[in-house]
């Protein structure tokens, strides 16, 4: 007998969240009816902007494009386009209304070496039709609970709040956004010093998301499962992380285990979260800087500041091109600006302020979420004195063979120490990201971690 997967997970989730505190208001049927009409299926404005510099959304970039070989090559879908204009430090007054404080700080900090080439806007983000249907089916059912730090009735929706009313709702859209069912990738992380020197660290990432977990009641509250193995440098090779995130990280905090290659032991790793330092990152990023933001929302008060039109990294196929030496990408102070592409898009702006009595390295954070994919594409992180400390950017690509918008490179720039960290590059790795990878529940277990590591 075939079981309806959405019903199974939805029913199990209802049991899991029962009695966990009052749920917050969901959107109305009238609001949900706008999805696919004046709003896109994920809740973005379908129309372009007033001056036409942002076009209307026409379904995004779908289908395997000519020259794309999944896992092997991904040519630029707009190879003949030239920048409309370039923003340099002297141009800040002219364009400041469409720049973020972080971008302005980078331009001012690095003088003429950092500039922003702005190209025509293409709203390429697209998801599979069945994903759109799930979003619409669940739009009037999903609720925040436990003060907004957990989700109720999520089902298999990947945009629980297509018409967000709060900052927490917008951030939850990022946390559970569609990234395919699962993927396998080999990527480089590099901490780039002031003089431009770096030591590449190679990771093997294996992730399964909510829409890809086996359809059992035990998985009803899963957001994602991840195994991350360090392949290089040699002194850390074999160190492997296992993490499991759920829909209510306050009630069910992240579970994490680490295989220590030196000790040849699997150990609990409760420190994998919040502002603890990322593995192998030399203190250049926190754990919750991974994927721009991840983990529990409970240390901050979140405020939705509305929408802006700003220049954001988009359609970054040139940056992702196969065979580019990492030395040509990673320059002193910042990524090579000749490889970057900025476009004008609408973003949701969310501000997070540290709660009284709680601790985190960042006292305040601002995030910019692309309206078409719900991906965080930029952010600012402020220290305890209120000074802008770190600036983050994520460079988006539409992976057409899987109908997935996702990052090819994430960056976190340290304005106080003149260094930065870049994560996600695979220009010279054996294969690109593979969206057809699958694993069963037994793969993501502490007992299997030693086998994965060796």
């Amino acid at each position: 007998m075939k079981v309806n997967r959405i019903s199974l997970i939805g029913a199990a989730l209802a049991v899991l969240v029962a009695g966990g505190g009052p749920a917050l208001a969901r959107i109305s049927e009238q609001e949900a009816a706008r999805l696919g009409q004046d709003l896109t299926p994920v809740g973005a404005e379908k129309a372009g902007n007033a001056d036409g510099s942002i076009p209307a959304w026409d379904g995004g970039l779908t289908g395997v494009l000519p020259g794309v070989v999944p896992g092997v090559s991904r040519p630029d879908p707009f190879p003949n386009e030239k920048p409309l204009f370039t923003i340099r430090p002297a141009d800040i007054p002219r364009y400041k209304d469409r720049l973020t404080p972080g971008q302005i700080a980078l331009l001012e900090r690095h003088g003429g070496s950092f500039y922003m080439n702005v190209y025509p806007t293409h709203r390429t983000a697209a998801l599979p039709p069945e994903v759109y249907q799930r979003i619409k089916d669940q739009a009037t059912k999903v609720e925040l609970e436990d003060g907004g730090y957990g989700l109720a009735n999520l089902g298999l929706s990947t945009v629980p709040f297509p018409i967000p009313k709060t900052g927490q709702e917008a951030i939850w859209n990022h946390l559970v956004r569609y990234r395919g069912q699962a993927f396998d990738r080999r990527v480089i992380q590099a901490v780039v010093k002031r003089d431009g020197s770096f030591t590449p660290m190679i990771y093997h990432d294996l992730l399964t998301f909510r829409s890809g977990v086996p359809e059992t009641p035990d998985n009803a509250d899963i957001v994602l499962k991840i195994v991350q193995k360090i392949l290089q440098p040699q002194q850390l090779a074999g160190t492997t992380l296992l993490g499991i995130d759920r829909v209510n990280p306050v009630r069910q905090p992240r579970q994490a285990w680490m295989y220590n290659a030196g000790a040849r032991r699997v150990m609990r790793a409760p420190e994998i979260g919040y502002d603890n330092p990322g593995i192998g990152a030399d203190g250049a990023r926190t754990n919750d800087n991974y994927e721009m933001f991840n983990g529990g929302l409970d240390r901050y008060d979140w405020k939705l500041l509305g929408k802006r039109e700003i220049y954001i990294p988009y359609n970054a196929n040139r940056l992702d091109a196969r065979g580019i030496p990492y030395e040509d990408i990673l320059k002193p102070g910042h990524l090579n600006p000749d490889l970057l592409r900025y476009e004008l898009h609408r973003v949701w702006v969310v501000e997070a302020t540290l709660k009284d009595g709680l601790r985190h390295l960042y006292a305040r954070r601002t995030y910019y979420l692309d309206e078409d994919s719900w991906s965080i594409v930029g952010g600012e992180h402020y220290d305890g004195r209120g000074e802008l400390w770190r600036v983050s950017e994520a460079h988006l690509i539409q992976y057409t063979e899987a109908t997935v918008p996702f990052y090819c490179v994430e960056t976190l720039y340290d304005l106080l120490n003149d260094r930065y960290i870049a994560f996600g590059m695979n220009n010279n790795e054996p294969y690109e990201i593979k969206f057809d990878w699958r694993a069963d529940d037994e793969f993501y277990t502490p007992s299997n971690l030693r086998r994965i590591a060796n």
Side-chain angles (χ1 to χ4, degrees):
M1 175 176 141
K2 186 176 181 179
V3 179
N4 183 290
R5 182 177 180 184
I6 298 177
S7 298
L8 174 64
I9 291 187
L13 182 57
V15 173
L16 284 164
V17 302
L24 305 182
R26 63 191 86 175
I27 70 171
S28 67
E29 294 282 355
Q30 292 77 12
E31 289 175 308
R34 297 177 60 193
L35 300 177
Q37 300 301 317
D38 65 306
L39 300 180
T40 74
V42 303
E45 297 174 51
K46 185 177 286 188
N49 65 351
D51 65 9
S53 53
I54 297 176
W57 184 77
D58 62 1
L61 191 64
T62 59
V64 179
L65 302 179
V68 172
V69 180
V72 178
S73 66
R74 189 175 315 285
D76 189 342
F78 314 109
N80 299 318
E81 287 189 347
K82 304 298 182 185
L84 298 173
F85 53 88
T86 298
I87 302 175
R88 300 182 186 276
D91 304 309
I92 291 173
R94 180 179 179 184
Y95 296 108
K96 65 179 180 180
D97 290 344
R98 288 179 166 175
L99 296 170
T100 68
Q103 291 169 336
I104 292 173
L106 289 174
L107 287 164
E108 291 178 338
R109 184 80 173 183
H110 298 293
S113 69
F114 180 72
Y115 46 87
M116 297 169 59
N117 287 326
V118 179
Y119 289 79
T121 297
H122 297 280
R123 296 178 68 180
T124 48
L127 308 180
E130 64 271 18
V131 175
Y132 291 146
Q133 188 60 51
R134 291 171 190 164
I135 292 168
K136 190 163 189 176
D137 290 344
Q138 295 295 127
T140 60
K141 302 173 184 176
V142 188
E143 299 172 304
L144 293 176
E145 64 171 5
D146 286 344
Y149 304 124
L151 295 178
N153 308 318
L154 179 61
L156 287 177
S157 178
T158 52
V159 181
F161 306 106
I163 306 176
K165 308 292 198 312
T166 70
Q168 288 165 313
E169 290 181 347
I171 292 297
W172 269 114
N173 286 344
H174 165 78
L175 291 174
V176 300
R177 73 196 189 282
Y178 186 72
R179 287 157 282 180
Q181 294 186 39
F183 65 63
D184 168 359
R185 63 176 179 170
R186 278 181 50 140
V187 294
I188 296 293
Q189 174 178 280
V191 178
V192 185
K193 299 177 182 178
R194 183 176 301 181
D195 62 1
S197 63
F198 64 90
T199 300
M201 178 172 287
I202 304 177
Y203 289 86
H204 187 189
D205 281 359
L206 297 161
L207 291 92
T208 297
F209 302 102
R210 184 176 184 78
S211 55
V213 294
E215 51 182 274
T216 65
D218 289 342
N219 284 323
D221 62 344
I222 295 296
V223 170
L224 68 84
K225 299 182 179 184
I226 179 173
V227 163
Q228 186 176 73
K229 179 180 178 179
I230 297 176
L231 304 180
Q232 288 184 15
Q234 186 60 41
Q235 62 266 31
L236 292 174
T239 300
T240 307
L241 166 71
L242 165 64
I244 299 175
D245 279 2
R246 303 177 186 274
V247 296
N248 194 319
V250 174
R251 198 181 312 157
Q252 293 179 295
R254 170 177 290 163
Q255 294 175 281
W257 296 263
M258 183 76 70
Y259 175 77
N260 185 307
R264 301 184 65 81
R265 292 179 54 201
V266 174
M267 298 172 285
R268 279 274 191 177
E271 72 279 5
I272 304 297
Y274 297 106
D275 61 348
N276 289 305
I279 300 171
D282 193 28
R285 69 168 172 87
T286 62
N287 274 295
D288 62 9
N289 279 136
Y290 178 77
E291 277 214 39
M292 302 298 279
F293 178 79
N294 74 88
L297 285 69
D298 53 303
R299 295 195 182 180
Y300 290 93
D301 290 318
W302 300 84
K303 185 176 182 180
L304 187 63
L305 301 182
K307 273 189 176 180
R308 285 186 62 189
E309 295 180 4
I310 61 172
Y311 302 116
I312 61 175
Y314 225 88
N315 293 310
N317 296 72
R318 188 176 183 187
L319 177 62
D320 189 54
R322 301 294 286 172
I324 300 178
Y326 297 125
E327 291 79 5
D328 290 351
I329 297 173
L330 304 169
K331 297 298 183 181
H334 48 75
L335 298 184
N336 183 347
D338 286 336
L339 299 176
L340 309 185
R341 178 185 178 114
Y342 290 87
E343 298 180 2
L344 184 67
H345 288 260
R346 285 184 292 248
V347 299
W348 289 98
V349 185
V350 175
E351 184 177 76
T353 304
L354 188 62
K355 287 177 173 290
D356 290 341
L358 296 183
R359 64 166 299 279
H360 197 288
L361 287 177
Y362 306 133
R364 181 164 61 90
R365 311 166 89 158
T366 305
Y367 288 113
Y368 305 91
L369 290 80
D370 167 40
E371 69 166 346
D372 288 326
S373 67
W374 287 108
S375 305
I376 295 175
V377 290
E380 289 106 31
H381 310 268
Y382 295 82
D383 64 18
R385 301 167 298 174
E387 298 292 325
L388 179 56
W389 177 10
R390 290 172 172 169
V391 176
S392 54
E393 284 197 321
H395 299 261
L396 275 173
I397 282 180
Q398 178 67 19
Y399 292 87
T400 54
E401 74 278 14
T403 324
V404 172
F406 191 59
Y407 310 137
C408 67
V409 181
E410 300 172 55
T411 52
L412 186 65
Y413 297 100
D414 190 325
L415 301 179
L416 302 183
N417 293 309
D418 279 335
R419 66 174 184 168
Y420 68 98
I421 186 168
F423 180 87
M425 299 165 293
N426 64 5
N427 309 69
N428 299 284
E429 301 315 298
Y431 57 87
E432 286 199 328
I433 187 168
K434 297 179 180 179
F435 289 96
D436 59 355
W437 184 81
R438 298 291 182 270
D440 59 21
D441 282 345
E442 291 303 311
F443 181 80
Y444 295 101
T445 57
S447 60
N448 194 45
L449 199 54
R450 183 189 298 269
R451 186 187 67 80
I452 297 170
N454 293 313

